[in-house]
Amino acid sequence: MANPVPVIDDISLESLYADPYPSFQRLQRDAPVAFVRAAGINLVTRFDDIVQIERDFETFASSNPVSLMNRVMGHSLMRKDGEDHRLERKAIEPSFRPGVVRNHWAPRFRVIADDLIDQFDDHGATDLFGSFAAPMASLSLMEMLGLRDVSWQELAIWSQSLMDAVGNYGQDPEVIRRGQVASDGIDAAIEVVLPKLEASPDPSIISSMLQAEDKHSIAQIRANVKVIIGGGLNEPRDTILTTAYGLLSNPDQRACVMEDANLWSAAFEEAVRWISPIGMYPRRVTRDVVLGGMQLREGDQLGICVGAANRDESHFDRPDLFDILRPKQSHLGFGAGPHYCAGTWVARQMVGAIALPALFGRLKDLRLDEAAEVKLGGWVFRGPLSLPVRWSI
């Protein structure tokens, strides 16, 4: 017999932001599906339950009229299922094909990485968040989208504002306002580049949407660009920082990577598992169903906590440890099923094959700055907020 979903009153949004993993471990052990009152949503935390959800979009739908993402960004492909999702995903795929990434985008990513390091390599110290990870992700995404006359700082602010608004389960009015400002700014930036990309198509994402066989409306283009600016900037930024933090905190593993370049990909994947940059996303229950022994009802709202699933002790040995040498196994850092992240190949190239090898290869004796604090935050989206480092000149 299925159990009713328990209501949890003693988990706060503040505790989840500061460090969600103790709460996740408790939920996995005692209440794998639980209504956390502070978040106003049923959180799902076990690996196997999330895989079940992602394999059954008819029961656990991405489409959701009350989704925060819909309110902030518009009705994007992330909140569509079936044929509607397939057609919009197909429209952006030309820009993400492995050959296009390898031959067109990767050379640009290398130039961006080297130019950024050139700006601080003689300083001996920096915070990698602002000097490298954020501009690397932002400048690379601007190239891929086809945006012009936008600074990397402006795009980064837009991205963070959108992600804060999408994760605004506390309904903070200032967060709502910043999200709207970002949305309006992105709409204006899209309008600037549309005429040129319509007249002269290129490999950019906006161009791919304009040339799609299934003609996109301006509302579709706007919504999908906003989704890409959100996850497509924060995710590689945070993965650069998380991987660097993991390696700098574990000198033996850093030595292994420096001796064997093939291990960069393992370091990247382990970072995405260890601190999943997109830690939670929503789903909607379309019919009464039992999940993890808990009775769900039609209309229930779910928060899919992949940040918890990627530390599920039933799937990963010593999951709280960063370990690039752990046996290779699948994780949920890029989601699963039809909504598996379209930018996975791009992130693996930009972060694991280009940005991190350049950073560690050029900065001699790179190490954490013991005089400064590494800060992390978030649970819907999580990553380092600062990563102060030093190196020998």
Side-chain angles (χ1 to χ4, degrees):
M1 181 176 177
N3 297 313
V5 174
V7 177
I8 307 297
D9 289 313
D10 59 349
I11 294 178
S12 68
L13 293 179
E14 291 77 13
S15 67
L16 288 172
Y17 182 91
D19 182 1
Y21 300 113
S23 296
F24 286 162
Q25 289 169 357
R26 170 188 163 193
L27 293 174
Q28 284 174 338
R29 182 185 66 245
D30 300 334
V33 183
F35 183 81
V36 176
R37 195 180 299 278
I41 196 169
N42 299 287
L43 299 186
V44 183
T45 52
R46 288 184 183 171
F47 190 102
D48 290 340
D49 293 336
I50 291 175
V51 170
Q52 179 183 337
I53 287 169
E54 292 293 23
R55 289 175 175 171
D56 185 5
F57 70 82
E58 293 183 347
T59 303
F60 304 101
S62 299
S63 57
N64 189 350
V66 301
S67 166
L68 281 175
M69 182 173 284
N70 285 5
R71 281 187 251 168
V72 173
M73 300 180 178
H75 197 187
S76 73
L77 81 168
M78 290 293 290
R79 291 295 164 262
K80 296 179 181 179
D81 291 306
E83 186 67 3
D84 289 342
H85 173 262
R86 187 191 69 81
L87 288 173
E88 292 194 20
R89 186 174 175 114
K90 180 182 177 182
I92 66 173
E93 282 178 350
S95 301
F96 292 93
R97 289 172 182 154
V100 175
V101 174
R102 182 174 54 252
N103 299 320
H104 187 80
W105 300 124
R108 286 163 168 75
F109 297 160
R110 290 190 181 93
V111 170
I112 291 170
D114 283 332
D115 285 349
L116 288 171
I117 296 170
D118 284 344
Q119 295 174 32
F120 62 78
D121 65 348
D122 61 349
H123 295 178
T126 191
D127 185 335
L128 288 176
F129 185 102
S131 65
F132 187 68
M136 178 76 207
S138 190
L139 291 166
S140 298
L141 186 59
M142 280 194 295
E143 285 274 352
M144 290 195 67
L145 283 167
L147 294 180
R148 299 289 180 268
D149 301 323
V150 175
S151 69
W152 77 258
Q153 294 92 338
E154 193 170 23
L155 195 73
I157 290 170
W158 288 343
S159 176
Q160 193 62 54
S161 298
L162 291 177
M163 292 298 93
D164 289 346
V166 168
N168 186 26
Y169 287 89
Q171 293 296 307
D172 184 326
E174 175 58 19
V175 174
I176 295 172
R177 185 195 68 80
R178 290 199 302 267
Q180 187 60 57
V181 170
S183 179
D184 293 343
I186 293 167
D187 288 346
I190 292 170
E191 289 298 326
V192 169
V193 300
L194 285 179
K196 179 180 178 181
L197 292 176
E198 285 175 332
S200 303
D202 62 23
S204 71
I205 297 168
I206 295 176
S207 180
S208 291
M209 285 191 278
L210 288 171
Q211 304 303 317
E213 182 179 345
D214 183 71
K215 184 67 174 178
H216 276 37
S217 67
I218 186 62
Q220 287 174 293
I221 292 173
R222 286 173 173 173
N224 289 329
V225 167
K226 288 167 191 173
V227 162
I228 293 166
I229 288 176
L233 195 156
N234 283 22
E235 187 164 9
R237 179 199 69 195
D238 293 348
T239 307
I240 290 170
L241 295 167
T242 297
T243 312
Y245 180 45
L247 292 173
L248 294 175
S249 301
N250 295 274
D252 55 336
Q253 296 183 50
R254 182 247 184 90
C256 290
V257 171
M258 299 305 290
E259 291 174 6
D260 182 0
N262 292 322
L263 288 175
W264 280 114
S265 62
F268 170 85
E269 299 294 337
E270 175 65 354
V272 173
R273 182 208 65 81
W274 183 48
I275 302 178
S276 303
I278 298 180
M280 191 277 278
Y281 51 82
R283 291 289 185 265
R284 175 177 58 90
V285 180
T286 64
R287 63 178 179 87
D288 291 0
V289 65
V290 175
L291 178 73
M294 304 293 180
Q295 180 66 60
L296 293 171
R297 302 298 182 186
E298 179 182 350
D300 282 349
Q301 303 292 322
L302 304 181
I304 310 306
C305 296
V306 296
N310 282 334
R311 293 199 184 193
D312 188 333
E313 291 182 345
S314 70
H315 273 261
F316 302 98
D317 180 43
R318 299 184 300 166
D320 292 338
L321 299 181
F322 178 85
D323 182 5
I324 67 171
L325 301 178
R326 69 172 63 248
K328 186 176 181 180
Q329 58 192 124
S330 61
H331 60 75
L332 296 173
F334 295 108
H339 284 272
Y340 187 78
C341 178
T344 300
W345 177 252
V346 174
R348 285 171 173 155
Q349 286 291 300
M350 182 202 308
V351 178
I354 296 171
L356 288 164
L359 191 70
F360 279 78
R362 290 189 55 184
L363 302 181
K364 182 181 177 183
D365 189 30
L366 183 65
R367 58 196 183 276
L368 295 175
D369 188 341
E370 296 180 356
E373 181 184 2
V374 176
K375 298 178 181 179
L376 293 93
W379 68 285
V380 178
F381 306 94
R382 185 167 182 81
L385 306 174
S386 66
L387 189 63
V389 297
R390 305 189 71 85
W391 61 94
S392 302
I393 300 176

